[in-house]
Amino acid sequence: ADKSARFEARVANEERIEPNDWMPAAYRKTLTRQISQHAHSEIVGMLPEGNWITRAPTLRRKAALLAKVQDECGHGLYLYAAAETLGTSREELVDQMLSGKAKYSSIFNYPTLTWADIGAIGWLVDGAAIMNQIPLCRCSYGPYARAMIRVCKEESFHQRQGYEIMVTLSHGTPEQKAMAQSALDRWWWQCLMMFGPPDGESQHSDQSTRWKIKRFSNDELRQKFVDATVPQSDYLGLKIPDADLKWNATTGHWDYGAIDWQEFQDVLAGNGPCNRDRLAARRKAHDDGAWVREAATAYAEKQRARRAAVAA
Amino acid sequence: ADKSARFEARVANEERIEPNDWMPAAYRKTLTRQISQHAHSEIVGMLPEGNWITRAPTLRRKAALLAKVQDECGHGLYLYAAAETLGTSREELVDQMLSGKAKYSSIFNYPTLTWADIGAIGWLVDGAAIMNQIPLCRCSYGPYARAMIRVCKEESFHQRQGYEIMVTLSHGTPEQKAMAQSALDRWWWQCLMMFGPPDGESQHSDQSTRWKIKRFSNDELRQKFVDATVPQSDYLGLKIPDADLKWNATTGHWDYGAIDWQEFQDVLAGNGPCNRDRLAARRKAHDDGAWVREAATAYAEKQRARRAAVAA
Amino acid sequence: MAAASISVTESSLVLYALRRADDALILGHRLSEWCGHAPMMEEDMALANMGLDLIGQARELYSYAAKVEDNGNDEDRYAYLRDVRQYRNLLLVEQPNGDFARTIVRQFFYSAFADAYWRAMMGSEDATLAAIAAKSEKESAYHIRHSSEWVIRLGDGTPESHRRAQDAVDDLWAFTGELFHTDDSDAGLIADRLVIDPESLRAGWTDTVTGILRTATLACPGKSWMQKGGRSGNHSEHLGHLLSELQSLQRSFPGATW
Amino acid sequence: MAAASISVTESSLVLYALRRADDALILGHRLSEWCGHAPMMEEDMALANMGLDLIGQARELYSYAAKVEDNGNDEDRYAYLRDVRQYRNLLLVEQPNGDFARTIVRQFFYSAFADAYWRAMMGSEDATLAAIAAKSEKESAYHIRHSSEWVIRLGDGTPESHRRAQDAVDDLWAFTGELFHTDDSDAGLIADRLVIDPESLRAGWTDTVTGILRTATLACPGKSWMQKGGRSGNHSEHLGHLLSELQSLQRSFPGATW
C-alpha cells in the first residue's frame, strides 16, 4: 500500500517509472498490452505498404517506401524491446499476435488498392498515429516514452512524404487525381476510427489517464485530427467524403458526421477485408522462417561449445 | 529364331506390330525409350509456352495458347499410354524423367523471353517436330503410329497458329518486328539441332531404319526443314541468322552453315539455360501434388471397400 | 490509342455484362496459372479445359458489352486497358490459387452458382444473354461435376487432404455472399426480366453446397460475415498483381496489333 | 511520352554504367520482395538495408549513364521503360529469391565480387565512377559481411539448413562465371583505365568464396559449366515477370509524373 501510494505520487508528479521500479500489476499489464499491440501494429503495418514496394512508380519513391517500411519494422523492434522491459518476451508477444489473441490496429485490415493508397496511408494513417502518439512521448513509463519520441520523429517524416505523394497525384493527370480522391474516400472514415470508440464507451481510459498513459480523450484527439486535416485536403483540391463536415465558428472546430461504429466492431471482430490475409502472411513468414531461426540457434550453440572446449 | 524371322518379315512387309505380338527385346526397349522421351518432351514442352499464358497479349491469343499447351499435355498422355503398351508404367517413365535419367527434347531448355518466342516455337519448333513426326505415322509399332497421326494433325494446326503470330508481328510496329527477328535469331540453330547429330554420328539409326521406326536420316529431315522454312522467312521479311545460307541450283536445296554441335552436346549434358529450371518445375509440380494423388487413391480405396461391404 | 486505361460508360446492361465477363476472365486466368504445374496430368487438362470455357464466356460477354456500350471498346480493351478499380469481378474469383484444395473449393463455390445461374438465364428476355447462357450452361455443368467430385475426394481422402479442403472452405466461405448481391443498377434489369434475381438461386446453391460438403465429410461454416466490394471495384490486394501480369504487353506496346 | 519502351544509344560507357545499374536495381528489387516476409524481423531490416543500398547505387549509375548518353533519358526511363531484352544485368541477380538460403547465397556470390570490385574501381580514371565506387564500397563491405555470416550459420547450422544452403550453392554456381565476363565494349574502357578488368578479381573472389564455404562446411562446386547472356539481354524467364511488376504503373499511366 505504501509502495502503491508512492507510485501514484510519482506518476502524479510527472516522474518517469523505470523497469526496475515497483509498479502495480495492472499498470504493468495495461502497458504490456498497449505497447505490444503498438508493436504488432508496426509489424502488420508493413504488409499493406509492402504490397507496393515492388510496384512503386519511380526509383525515388521505391527507395523512400522501402525505407519507410523498414522504419516500421524498426519501430516494432524497439517497441517489443520496451515491452520486454515489463517482463514478457518478444517471442511470447509475437505468438499472441500470430494466434489472434493479441490485436493490432484495425486500420491495417484494409487493402492498398492503388499507389494513391500509399500516399493516403502516409498522410492520414500516419497523421492519425502521430496525433495519438505525441502525448505518449510524455507517458509515465520511461522506456515507452523514449521509444515514442523516436517513433514520432520518424512518423512525421513519413507523414510529410505521404502528403507529398498526394500533392503530386492531385496535381497530376485526371486519372491520378481520381486515384487520389478514391484513396481519400476509402481511408477517411477508417482513420477517424483509429482514435477508438467515442468518449464514454472507451474501456480503459479512466485509469490510463490517471496513470499518465493517456492524456487526451479519443474524441479530443479525433477532433484535433479533423481540424488539422481539413485544410490539407482543401489544399489538395480533394473532397472529404462527409456531407456533414462543416466549420463551426462557435467552437472553432470542424464538425463531422456520424461514424459507422458497426464497421469498426466488425473489423475488430476479424471481418475486415484483409484480417485473414494479414495474419496468414505473418504466420507464413514465421513458419517459413522457422528453419532459419533454428539454424541460427544451432550454430550459436555449436560456437559456444567450441569456445568452451578451447577454454577448457 | 523363328519368331524373330517372322517379326523381321512382317516389319519389312510394312505390317503393324501390335502390343500382344512377339517382338525382340531390343525393339521393345528402343521404342519404349523413344516414345517415352517423346512423351516427356510434350510435358516439359508445356513449360516454355506456359510461361506466356498469363501474359498473352489478346484474349484470342490467350485462349489459343492455353488450348495449345493443353494439347501438348494430351499428346503426352497418349504417348505415355502408347509406351505403356510396351510394358512400362507411366509412373515409372515419369520417375525416370524427374530423376534426370530419361531425356526430353533439348529445345525446351531454352527460355521464352518475349511473346515472339511463342510465335517462333509454333512456327519453327513445331515445324521441325512435324518433319520428324510425319514419317512416324507409318512407324512399324501400331500404337505409336496411331498416336503420331493424331499428334501430327494437331501439331500442324499449332504450327500454322505460330506462323500467324509471326506474320502479325513482322507486319506490326518496328518494335514488334525486332522482337520477331530476335526470336528467329535465338531459335533457328536450336531447331536445326532438333534433327539430331549429322548422319554417321547418329547412334541408333541403322537398326531403327531396318525396324521401320526411322525412315529418313537426320540430315535428310534437316534439309527438308530448311527448304520449307526459308521461303516462309522471306515472306515474313525476317533474316535467318546464317551468313552461309544460299540457294544451290545444282542440288535444288538451300545450303546452310555449320552447326555448333558443341552447344548441342552442352545442353544435352544438362548445361542449357533452363535445364535446371525445367526439371525443378516438373519436380515441384510432382512433389506438391503428392498429397492430392494420395487423397484420390485413398478415396478410391474407401469407395471400393464400401461397395464390397454393401455387396457382402 | 495509348496504353492508358480506357473510360467505360457503364449503363446498367454494360455494367452487368462486364461484371460477369470479369468473373469469367479472372477465374479463367487463375486456372490458367496451373497449366504445367498441376498435381497430375489429367488435372492439367481439366483445369485448362475449365479455364478455356471461362475465357470463352468472358469474350462473349465483353463483346456484348462492347456492342451495347457502342463506344469503340472491344473485348481486349476491356480486358487489358482497365485498371484494378475498373474491374467488376467477385472477390471470390480473384483469390489466389493456393494449393489444389483451395483452387477446387473456389471453383466449386463459383460453379455451384454459375451452373444454376446460366440455366436460369436461358430464359432471359435479352436474346444475346440467353444465347450465351445456353452455351455456358453446358460448360458449367461439367465444372460443377468436376469440382464436386474433387471436393468429395479431398474431403473424404486422407487426413491431410481433409484438413486442406476444410481450410479452403473456411477461408473462402466469406466470399460466397457476394454471389447473391445485387444493387440499384441490377434492379431495373431484373424488373425488365433481362436478368434473373440471384436471390432466387440462394436456396438451391445452399442445398448443393451443403450436400456436397456433407458427402465430403466437411463442415459447412454456416451463417457468418460476408465480404463484398468486387462489383464496385473495391478488390483485394491480389487483383492488382494479377492485372500487372495479364496486361503487361498491351500496356508496354501502345497501339500495337497482336 | 508514351509507355512504349525507350531507345538507348549504348556507347561503351553508357552500356557499362547500365549493366552495373541493372545489376544493382534487379538485386535490390529482389531483396525488397522480402520486406515484411523475412524469417526474423532483424532480417527484414537487414535485407531492406541492402536493398536500399543497391537501389541507391542503381540510381547513381543510371544518372551517370543518362548524363553520358545525353539523349533525354533519366534513371526512371532506364528502369521503367526498357523491355526485358534491353536489360543488361547478370543472370545471377535476377534468379528468384527462393528460400532464405538461396537469397543469402545469391547475395554472397554477388557481394564477394562487388566488394572487391568497388574497391578496385575507386582507382578509376573516370571521376564519377570513382566517386560512386567510394560510396558503394562502404555498403558492399557490410553486404559481404552480413551474407558471409549467414552462409556460415546456415551451412554449419542444422542438417536442414546445411542441405538448403548446399542446394543454393549448387544451383547458383553456374551464374558466377558471368561476374568476370567482358566483351569488346568493355575492352576499350579497360585499356583507358576507366574501368577495371574483372579478371583481375577472380583469384580474390575464389579465395573469399572457397574460404567461407569451407568454414560453412559446404562443398564448393569447382570448375563447371557457366551460364551467360544477361549482359547482352539474353535473360532467364524470371526477369520478364519481375519487370511486368516493377514497370506496371509507368506502363499504365503514360506520361504521368509521380
Side-chain angles (χ1 to χ4, degrees):
Chain A
D2 221 33
K3 281 186 198 165
S4 175
R6 201 148 58 96
F7 170 85
E8 299 283 350
R10 286 183 64 195
V11 167
N13 202 29
E14 296 285 345
E15 285 178 46
R16 291 284 164 276
I17 307 300
E18 295 298 333
N20 293 326
D21 296 344
W22 185 91
M23 63 189 85
Y27 179 84
R28 188 182 298 274
K29 195 177 158 197
T30 297
L31 271 169
T32 302
R33 197 194 56 240
Q34 178 167 337
I35 301 173
S36 63
Q37 198 163 307
H38 193 160
H40 303 329
S41 300
E42 296 283 356
I43 297 303
V44 176
M46 296 171 74
L47 298 173
E49 293 181 277
N51 184 41
W52 282 90
I53 292 173
T54 54
R55 291 178 292 174
T58 70
L59 294 184
R60 182 170 78 92
R61 295 287 185 206
K62 192 184 196 72
L65 182 57
L66 179 54
K68 182 188 170 181
V69 179
Q70 188 196 31
D71 282 347
E72 285 159 9
C73 189
H75 297 173
L77 280 171
Y78 43 83
L79 284 162
Y80 282 123
E84 284 189 311
T85 63
L86 292 160
T88 313
S89 73
R90 173 171 128 195
E91 204 181 346
E92 200 174 323
L93 296 170
V94 168
D95 282 346
Q96 287 171 6
M97 186 256 284
L98 294 177
S99 73
K101 203 182 132 201
K103 299 281 178 211
Y104 54 85
S105 175
S106 276
I107 193 78
F108 300 121
N109 287 321
Y110 292 89
T112 49
L113 287 188
T114 72
W115 172 251
D117 293 34
I118 299 305
I121 287 182
W123 172 35
L124 301 173
V125 177
D126 290 346
I130 292 167
M131 289 288 172
N132 269 328
Q133 289 165 12
I134 283 185
L136 290 171
C137 296
R138 296 184 290 129
C139 168
S140 60
Y141 188 59
Y144 192 27
R146 289 188 292 274
M148 278 299 102
I149 291 171
R150 186 162 158 198
V151 169
C152 282
K153 200 174 297 175
E154 293 182 359
E155 295 275 18
S156 19
F157 179 66
H158 298 162
Q159 204 261 351
R160 279 199 302 278
Q161 266 183 351
Y163 189 65
E164 200 232 311
I165 290 176
M166 296 304 282
V167 171
T168 307
L169 294 176
S170 58
H171 292 81
T173 66
E175 271 181 308
Q176 286 176 304
K177 185 158 183 177
M179 195 191 267
Q181 179 65 54
S182 155
L184 173 56
D185 292 346
R186 285 178 290 108
W187 291 94
W188 173 255
W189 291 104
Q190 282 66 31
C191 285
L192 294 195
M193 295 179 201
M194 283 177 70
F195 298 94
D199 297 351
E201 290 176 32
S202 184
Q203 288 174 15
H204 315 287
S205 289
D206 288 354
Q207 198 169 52
S208 285
T209 305
R210 206 181 73 235
W211 279 339
K212 303 279 166 73
I213 299 172
K214 197 169 176 65
R215 293 184 181 261
F216 297 96
S217 79
N218 293 352
D219 286 336
E220 282 169 345
L221 290 168
R222 190 164 14 242
Q223 187 66 59
K224 266 169 109 90
F225 173 75
V226 173
D227 292 345
T229 309
V230 170
Q232 292 169 347
S233 168
D234 284 346
Y235 176 78
L236 295 173
L238 300 179
K239 199 177 144 20
I240 288 175
D242 178 356
D244 297 329
L245 188 77
K246 64 167 183 290
W247 177 247
N248 185 328
T250 316
T251 61
H253 291 295
W254 287 87
D255 291 342
Y256 52 91
I259 294 173
D260 178 4
W261 290 109
Q262 187 54 50
E263 173 170 347
F264 181 75
Q265 294 303 334
D266 288 337
V267 176
L268 209 61
N271 295 321
C274 301
N275 300 54
R276 273 177 189 265
D277 281 353
R278 298 295 181 234
L279 268 187
R282 287 309 305 165
R283 282 182 193 144
K284 183 172 192 308
H286 191 78
D287 294 347
D288 289 356
W291 70 269
V292 178
R293 298 190 300 275
E294 283 159 21
T297 308
Y299 178 75
E301 274 162 21
K302 280 186 201 180
Q303 285 296 88
R304 240 191 314 277
R306 281 169 196 150
R307 273 194 304 269
V310 169
Chain B
D2 221 33
K3 283 185 195 163
S4 174
R6 202 150 57 95
F7 170 85
E8 298 283 349
R10 286 184 63 195
V11 167
N13 201 30
E14 294 286 345
E15 285 179 45
R16 290 284 164 275
I17 307 301
E18 295 298 334
N20 293 326
D21 296 344
W22 185 90
M23 62 188 86
Y27 179 83
R28 187 181 298 275
K29 194 176 158 196
T30 298
L31 271 168
T32 303
R33 196 194 56 238
Q34 178 167 338
I35 300 173
S36 63
Q37 199 165 306
H38 193 160
H40 304 328
S41 300
E42 296 283 357
I43 298 302
V44 176
M46 297 171 73
L47 298 172
E49 292 180 278
N51 183 42
W52 282 90
I53 293 172
T54 55
R55 291 178 290 174
T58 70
L59 295 184
R60 183 170 77 92
R61 295 288 184 203
K62 192 184 195 73
L65 182 57
L66 179 54
K68 183 190 168 178
V69 179
Q70 188 195 31
D71 282 348
E72 285 159 9
C73 188
H75 297 173
L77 280 172
Y78 41 84
L79 284 161
Y80 283 123
E84 283 189 312
T85 63
L86 292 159
T88 313
S89 74
R90 173 171 128 196
E91 202 183 347
E92 200 174 323
L93 296 170
V94 168
D95 282 345
Q96 286 171 7
M97 186 255 284
L98 294 177
S99 72
K101 203 182 134 201
K103 298 284 178 207
Y104 54 85
S105 175
S106 276
I107 194 77
F108 301 121
N109 287 320
Y110 292 89
T112 50
L113 286 188
T114 72
W115 172 251
D117 292 35
I118 300 304
I121 287 182
W123 172 36
L124 301 173
V125 176
D126 290 346
I130 292 167
M131 289 287 172
N132 269 329
Q133 288 164 13
I134 283 185
L136 289 171
C137 296
R138 296 183 289 128
C139 168
S140 60
Y141 188 58
Y144 192 26
R146 288 188 291 274
M148 278 298 102
I149 290 170
R150 187 162 158 198
V151 168
C152 281
K153 199 175 296 174
E154 294 183 358
E155 294 276 18
S156 15
F157 179 67
H158 297 163
Q159 203 259 352
R160 279 199 302 278
Q161 266 183 352
Y163 188 65
E164 200 232 312
I165 291 176
M166 296 303 283
V167 171
T168 306
L169 294 176
S170 59
H171 292 80
T173 67
E175 269 180 312
Q176 286 176 304
K177 186 157 182 176
M179 195 192 267
Q181 179 64 55
S182 155
L184 173 56
D185 292 346
R186 284 178 291 107
W187 291 94
W188 173 255
W189 291 103
Q190 281 67 30
C191 286
L192 294 195
M193 295 180 200
M194 282 177 71
F195 297 94
D199 296 352
E201 289 177 31
S202 184
Q203 288 175 13
H204 316 284
S205 291
D206 287 355
Q207 200 170 49
S208 286
T209 305
R210 207 181 72 236
W211 279 339
K212 302 280 165 74
I213 299 172
K214 197 171 178 64
R215 292 183 181 263
F216 297 96
S217 79
N218 294 351
D219 285 336
E220 282 168 348
L221 290 167
R222 188 161 19 238
Q223 185 67 57
K224 266 168 109 93
F225 174 75
V226 172
D227 292 346
T229 309
V230 170
Q232 292 169 347
S233 167
D234 283 348
Y235 176 79
L236 295 173
L238 299 179
K239 200 177 144 18
I240 288 176
D242 178 356
D244 297 329
L245 187 77
K246 63 167 183 294
W247 176 249
N248 184 329
T250 316
T251 61
H253 290 296
W254 287 88
D255 291 342
Y256 53 89
I259 294 174
D260 178 4
W261 289 109
Q262 187 54 49
E263 173 170 348
F264 180 75
Q265 294 304 335
D266 288 336
V267 176
L268 208 62
N271 295 320
C274 300
N275 300 54
R276 272 178 189 264
D277 281 352
R278 298 297 182 232
L279 268 186
R282 287 309 305 163
R283 282 182 193 144
K284 182 171 191 315
H286 191 79
D287 295 347
D288 288 355
W291 70 269
V292 178
R293 297 190 300 276
E294 283 160 20
T297 308
Y299 177 75
E301 275 163 20
K302 281 187 200 178
Q303 286 296 88
R304 240 191 315 276
R306 281 167 196 152
R307 274 194 304 269
V310 169
Chain C
M1 188 166 72
S5 296
I6 57 171
S7 69
V8 180
T9 308
E10 289 182 336
S11 71
S12 290
L13 189 53
V14 169
L15 179 56
Y16 190 87
L18 286 179
R19 283 169 168 173
R20 273 75 205 170
D22 290 345
D23 288 348
L25 176 62
I26 298 302
L27 186 54
H29 182 96
R30 282 284 187 226
L31 291 174
S32 81
E33 292 173 354
W34 275 102
C35 195
H37 309 280
M40 51 186 80
M41 292 168 203
E42 286 77 2
E43 282 311 298
D44 273 311
M45 302 286 287
L47 297 172
N49 244 330
M50 295 193 285
L52 281 166
D53 288 344
L54 289 163
I55 292 169
Q57 293 170 14
R59 294 181 65 189
E60 293 187 41
L61 288 160
Y62 283 136
S63 295
Y64 185 49
K67 199 179 143 205
V68 176
E69 192 198 1
D70 193 20
N71 197 22
N73 286 322
D74 59 29
E75 60 176 49
D76 288 325
R77 287 169 61 87
Y78 289 133
Y80 290 93
L81 299 175
R82 283 181 303 148
D83 75 16
V84 68
R85 287 174 40 245
Q86 295 176 294
Y87 259 80
R88 301 285 177 243
N89 57 279
L90 298 166
L91 297 173
L92 175 66
V93 299
E94 74 196 38
Q95 298 306 304
N97 284 338
D99 62 11
F100 185 70
R102 190 160 294 232
T103 292
I104 284 295
V105 169
R106 185 185 62 198
Q107 191 65 40
F108 170 62
F109 285 159
Y110 177 81
S111 300
F113 178 85
D115 188 42
Y117 169 78
W118 289 122
R119 209 168 316 116
M121 280 291 287
M122 289 165 67
S124 164
E125 307 225 339
D126 180 306
T128 309
L129 290 178
I132 294 173
K135 182 170 164 290
S136 302
E137 189 271 336
K138 289 188 194 72
E139 295 165 347
S140 63
Y142 164 69
H143 302 182
I144 181 62
R145 193 170 66 244
H146 187 77
S147 57
S148 300
E149 286 170 2
W150 268 112
V151 168
I152 294 170
R153 258 183 228 120
L154 297 180
D156 194 17
T158 63
E160 179 178 6
S161 70
H162 181 88
R163 177 182 58 74
R164 288 174 182 266
Q166 187 67 60
D167 283 352
V169 167
D170 294 345
D171 281 351
L172 293 172
W173 187 253
F175 300 109
T176 59
E178 205 178 19
L179 289 163
F180 305 98
H181 183 75
T182 55
D183 62 10
D184 292 347
S185 171
D186 297 322
L189 302 174
I190 294 173
D192 293 346
R193 297 173 175 278
L194 297 178
V195 310
I196 59 130
D197 184 346
E199 198 51 48
S200 66
L201 305 175
R202 191 190 287 269
W205 183 87
T206 306
D207 281 356
T208 305
V209 167
T210 51
I212 295 290
L213 290 182
R214 194 179 317 114
T215 308
T217 74
L218 293 167
C220 189
K223 259 205 160 18
S224 68
W225 179 266
M226 287 293 166
Q227 301 291 347
K228 65 171 198 268
R231 292 295 187 217
S232 49
N234 286 316
H235 293 279
S236 67
E237 288 171 358
H238 306 295
L239 185 61
H241 296 276
L242 184 156
L243 293 180
S244 75
E245 175 112 355
L246 187 149
Q247 300 182 335
S248 55
L249 270 191
Q250 286 274 2
R251 297 289 194 175
S252 299
F253 294 85
T257 301
W258 301 94
Chain D
M1 189 166 69
S5 297
I6 57 170
S7 69
V8 179
T9 308
E10 289 182 336
S11 71
S12 290
L13 188 53
V14 169
L15 179 57
Y16 190 88
L18 287 179
R19 283 169 167 173
R20 272 76 206 168
D22 290 346
D23 288 348
L25 176 62
I26 298 302
L27 186 55
H29 182 95
R30 282 286 187 223
L31 291 173
S32 81
E33 292 173 354
W34 275 102
C35 196
H37 309 280
M40 50 185 81
M41 293 168 202
E42 286 77 2
E43 282 311 299
D44 273 311
M45 302 287 287
L47 297 173
N49 243 331
M50 295 192 287
L52 281 167
D53 288 343
L54 289 163
I55 293 168
Q57 292 170 15
R59 295 181 66 190
E60 293 187 39
L61 288 160
Y62 284 136
S63 295
Y64 186 48
K67 198 178 142 203
V68 177
E69 193 199 0
D70 194 20
N71 198 21
N73 287 321
D74 58 30
E75 59 176 49
D76 288 325
R77 287 169 62 87
Y78 289 132
Y80 290 92
L81 299 175
R82 282 181 304 149
D83 74 16
V84 67
R85 287 172 42 245
Q86 294 175 294
Y87 258 79
R88 301 284 175 243
N89 57 278
L90 298 166
L91 298 173
L92 176 66
V93 298
E94 73 196 39
Q95 298 306 304
N97 284 338
D99 62 10
F100 185 70
R102 191 161 293 232
T103 292
I104 285 294
V105 169
R106 184 185 63 198
Q107 192 65 39
F108 170 62
F109 285 160
Y110 178 80
S111 301
F113 179 85
D115 187 44
Y117 169 77
W118 289 122
R119 208 167 317 118
M121 280 293 286
M122 289 165 68
S124 164
E125 306 224 340
D126 180 306
T128 309
L129 290 179
I132 294 173
K135 181 168 164 293
S136 303
E137 189 271 336
K138 290 190 193 70
E139 296 165 347
S140 63
Y142 164 68
H143 302 181
I144 181 63
R145 193 170 63 242
H146 187 77
S147 57
S148 300
E149 285 170 2
W150 269 112
V151 168
I152 293 170
R153 257 182 229 120
L154 297 180
D156 193 18
T158 63
E160 180 179 5
S161 70
H162 181 88
R163 177 182 57 74
R164 287 174 181 267
Q166 187 69 59
D167 283 353
V169 167
D170 293 346
D171 281 352
L172 294 172
W173 187 253
F175 301 109
T176 59
E178 206 178 18
L179 289 162
F180 305 99
H181 182 73
T182 54
D183 62 11
D184 291 348
S185 170
D186 297 322
L189 302 174
I190 294 172
D192 292 346
R193 298 173 174 278
L194 297 179
V195 310
I196 59 128
D197 184 346
E199 198 52 46
S200 66
L201 305 175
R202 191 190 287 269
W205 183 86
T206 307
D207 281 355
T208 304
V209 167
T210 51
I212 295 289
L213 290 182
R214 194 179 316 116
T215 307
T217 73
L218 293 166
C220 188
K223 257 203 163 19
S224 68
W225 178 266
M226 287 292 165
Q227 301 290 348
K228 64 172 199 267
R231 291 297 188 216
S232 49
N234 286 315
H235 293 280
S236 67
E237 288 171 358
H238 307 295
L239 184 61
H241 295 277
L242 184 156
L243 293 179
S244 75
E245 174 112 357
L246 187 150
Q247 300 182 336
S248 56
L249 270 191
Q250 287 274 359
R251 297 289 195 176
S252 299
F253 294 85
T257 302
W258 300 94

